[in-house]
Amino acid sequence: MDPMEGILLALQQIRAQKLKSFFAVIGVIIGVMFLITVVSVVEGMNRYMKEDFAKTVFGLNTVTVTRTPSVVFNGDREYWRRLMRRPRLTFADADLIREQLDVPALVAVVSENNGKLEGPNGTSVENVWLTGTTADYFRIRQYDVEKGRLFTPPEDRVGANVVVLGFDAADKLFGVLDPLGRRVKILANQSGNPITGVFTVVGVLKKQGTLFGMSLDNRAVAPAHSALAPMVNPHGFVDQILVQGDGPEAIPALKMSAEATMRTRHHLRPAMVNDFELETADDSLSFWDKISKILFIAFPGLVAIALVVGGMVIMNIMLVSVAERTREIGVRKALGARRRDVLFQILVEGATLSGAGAILGILIGIGLALAVRAFSPLPAAISPLWISVGALLGVSVGVIAGIYPANRAARMDPVVALRYE
Amino acid sequence: MNGEVIRTEKPTKNYEIGAEVVHALRGVDLVVNRNEYLAIMGPSGSGKSTLMNLIGCLDTPTAGQYWLNGQPVAGLIDDELARIRNREIGFVFQTFNLLPRATALHNVELPLIYAGVPSRERRERAEVMLGKVGLADRMAHKPAELSGGQRQRVAVARALVNGPAILLADEPTGNLDSATGDEIMNLLDALFDQGQTIVLVTHEHDIAARAHRTVTLRDGLISSDVGRMAVAGA
Ligand SMILES: Nc1ncnc2c1ncn2[C@@H]1O[C@H](COP(=O)(O)OP(=O)(O)O)[C@@H](O)[C@H]1O
Ligand SMILES: [Mg+2]
C-alpha cells in the first residue's frame, strides 16, 4: 500500500473523529508548541544579546572597569559584604589608567543616577537616566546628535553646565520648541539629599530605541565635573571607567594594562585577588551563553516529558482503535494484506495523527512567539530549523507510539479477527 | 483447462480450549476441480466454516495436506498465505464484511491494492467489476447507504476483482430475505456459467440445490458427497 493512501485514510479518520483525535494528540501539540515558543524566544534573545545588547551596554571593543560585577551569580552574605568593602573607583584611577596605556585607546569615566528634569513652562520628565561623563564617552558608545552638538573636551575639563538630552527627554520637555540654548533644571537624590543644578541644552541625541522595554532615550548627559557630579556620585568618585581600543585584538592588552594599574592603585600583593571588575562585551555574552545553555539543557527534558506522555496517550488510543477495528483488519487480511501492510497502515495512521498535532503545535507555538515579541520586551526569532525539528519529533512520536498497536494488529489471526463482534 | 483446484489429504483441525480439545475437522479428503459448483452442507458445528477457512488459506490444518492449484499450502507462513488469498481466493461472507468507512469502489479496490496494482488500473478494474454486478450507479456509496443485497453484490465484486481460482461463499444469503437471497444466488449461477469455480457453504437445501455437487459434513467428517451432475465440460 502506498503511503499517500495511508495518509488519506488517516486524515479521513481524523476528520470523522475530530475531538477524539485532538485529545489523542494534545500531548504532542503541547510539547511541540512549547518547543517552538521557547526556542524562538531563546534564539531571539541570543541574536538580541549578540547584536544589540552587548553593543549597547558594554560597547564595542571596550573594557569596562567597575567596583562590583554587573551580574552576581553567587549571592551569599559574606560575598556581598566583601563586595561592599571594595574601594570605589576615582577620577584619579581613570587618569592613571590612561597614562599607563601603551596602545591608542579612548578612556572615559561614567557615573549614573536617576533623576528628574524640569523644562520651561512647568514641563517635567521623571525617571531620567542621568550620566556624568567625559567627551570621549560619545565616541566610545558611538552616539551622535540629532541636532545641536556634543559637549567638548574643554567644556569637559572646566565642568561646564551643559547637557546633551536623549531624544525622548527633549521631546517631552520642549515639544515643538527648539531645545538648543534653553535651560533645563536637573534634580536628583544623592545619599538622601536632594541636589539640583541648571544646565544649558547644547544637543539632542539620535533616537536609540529600547532595551528590554526600557527607553534608551529618556536621558541627560553632562560633563563629569559639572554641577551633575554631586548628583550622580559623591566626592569625585566614578561608577565606571571605559577603555576602548581600536579593535577586538586590542582588548587583551587593554585589559592587562588596566588591571595592572588598578592593582597598583589598590596596593594588591600578587597573592590577592582583584577588588574591582574588568568586563567586556564577551564577558556579558559568556554570562548569557551560560543562561541559554542551562535553558537548552533543562527544557528538552520538559519537551521530552510532554512528548512521552503524548506518545503514551496516542498508543492507548491507537490500541483502542485497533481493537475496535479488529474485524476490519481481519477483512483486510482475508483480502491479502500482509503483516507489513497492516503494520504500515497503522504506523502511517499514528504518524499522520501526531504529525497533524505537531503542525497544530507549531502554528500555536509560532503564534505565541509572535505574541511574546509583540506584547513583551522579549524578542523572538522563528527558525525554520526548529520548525522542522518540531515536525520531525511530532511525527516520530506517532510512529514510535504506533509500533506496539501496529504490531498487535499485524499479528492478528484472520480467522479470529473475522469472528470478532 | 480442467485441473484440480483443491485437493486435501486428511486435514485435521483441533482447537484447544483449556484442557479440552475440540476436533473440528477429523480428516476430510476433498478434491474440487476447476469449474465445479460445490455446496458444503451439514448441521451447525459440523466443521463447515473450519473447512472453508482451510480451503481459503485463512488457516492451516493441525495435520494433513492441502494443495491449491497443485501448490502445497499446509506449511506456508502468514505472509505467503496472504499472497495466495489475494491472488487465488475470493471470499463472500454471511455478514458482507465491507469496510464501513470506505465507498463501494474502494472496497472493491482493496484486493488490488494488496496486489500492488497501480491506482489508475485499480480504479478501472474495480469500476468494471461493480458494473458487472449491476452497481455502476452506486460506486461512491458507503455500505450504510446500500441495501443488504447491494452490499453482498459489492462483496461479490470484491471477491472476483483479482480473478481468483475459487470463489468461497460462507452462507452468502444468511443475512438476506429470500427474494434478495435468490438474486445473489442468480448472480453466483451466472458467474459459474462464465466459468467461475464456486464453493458454497449453506444449511438451506434449496440454496444447495443450485450447486452441482453437495458435500455433507458431520462431526468433522464427510458423511456424503453427491454429484448432481457431471463436472461441466468433463
Ligand atoms: N476458534 C475456535 N476455537 C475453538 N473452537 C472452535 C473455533 N472455531 C470453531 N470451533 C469449534 O469447532 C467446531 C466446528 O465449528 P465450525 O467450523 O464453525 O462449524 P460450522 O461452521 O459447521 O457451524 C465447533 O464445535 C466449534 O465450536
Ligand atoms: Mg459456520
Side-chain angles (χ1 to χ4, degrees), chain B:
Chain B
M1 180 194 118
N2 280 315
E4 286 173 5
V5 184
I6 292 168
R7 166 178 287 274
T8 66
E9 204 174 273
K10 298 268 175 299
T12 64
K13 186 74 194 177
N14 299 342
Y15 293 108
E16 286 174 37
I17 305 169
E20 194 190 347
V21 178
V22 178
H23 299 277
L25 287 182
R26 299 163 185 270
V28 175
D29 285 330
L30 184 68
V31 175
V32 181
N33 287 313
R34 199 168 300 283
N35 208 10
E36 264 199 279
Y37 194 168
L38 171 73
I40 298 174
M41 294 198 71
S44 179
S46 59
K48 301 186 295 293
S49 294
T50 305
L51 179 59
M52 273 306 244
N53 292 339
L54 217 61
I55 292 173
C57 296
L58 282 169
D59 215 343
T60 47
T62 308
Q65 282 299 326
Y66 170 34
W67 291 266
L68 180 67
N69 280 334
Q71 188 193 357
V73 169
L76 296 183
I77 60 161
D78 238 33
D79 281 356
E80 291 165 339
L81 291 175
R83 213 185 107 84
I84 293 177
R85 289 195 294 271
N86 183 249
R87 302 285 154 94
E88 309 292 353
I89 313 285
F91 288 103
V92 175
F93 302 96
Q94 178 175 356
T95 50
F96 319 132
N97 277 334
L98 301 178
L99 301 194
R101 288 188 312 274
T103 60
L105 187 67
H106 187 78
N107 267 290
V108 177
E109 278 186 78
L110 281 171
L112 300 174
I113 290 177
Y114 295 121
V117 175
S119 65
R120 246 185 91 93
E121 184 192 338
R122 203 161 76 203
R123 199 187 160 81
E124 280 165 10
R125 280 169 64 180
E127 282 173 359
V128 167
M129 214 58 228
L130 276 167
K132 275 195 189 166
V133 300
L135 289 176
D137 54 346
R138 294 285 189 278
M139 298 206 241
H141 288 56
K142 303 238 167 104
E145 300 156 358
L146 298 170
S147 71
Q150 288 171 332
R151 285 181 216 179
Q152 199 60 301
R153 281 166 190 275
V154 174
V156 171
R158 184 178 69 182
L160 295 177
V161 73
N162 223 0
I166 8 167
L167 180 69
L168 291 183
D170 193 350
E171 308 265 11
T173 60
N175 276 21
L176 302 173
D177 61 59
S178 59
T180 318
D182 277 349
E183 250 176 59
I184 294 298
M185 289 315 297
N186 290 342
L187 179 61
L188 294 191
D189 289 355
L191 291 168
F192 170 74
D193 290 340
Q194 289 159 31
Q196 181 67 51
T197 309
I198 298 175
V199 176
L200 171 76
V201 165
T202 183
H203 59 263
E204 291 176 59
H205 284 281
D206 53 337
I207 301 280
R210 296 194 180 231
H212 302 165
R213 176 181 165 199
T214 302
V215 168
T216 308
L217 291 186
R218 193 170 299 275
D219 294 332
L221 286 167
I222 293 176
S223 66
S224 75
D225 185 346
V226 183
R228 257 196 9 145
M229 221 193 202
V231 171

Side-chain angles (χ1 to χ4, degrees), chain A residues 222-286:
Chain A
H225 294 291
S226 69
L228 195 71
M231 296 187 223
V232 290
N233 234 333
H235 327 304
F237 291 125
V238 299
D239 290 342
Q240 303 175 339
I241 301 166
L242 310 181
V243 185
Q244 185 183 46
D246 281 345
E249 64 287 346
I251 294 261
L254 294 180
K255 219 170 165 175
M256 249 161 68
S257 170
E259 183 176 13
T261 307
M262 287 309 297
R263 288 184 68 89
T264 314
R265 293 279 298 161
H266 289 177
H267 311 294
L268 298 179
R269 275 172 276 121
M272 293 164 78
V273 295
N274 288 348
D275 57 356
F276 53 89
E277 300 292 327
L278 295 156
E279 291 180 336
T280 63
D282 281 349
D283 295 334
S284 80
L285 286 182
S286 78

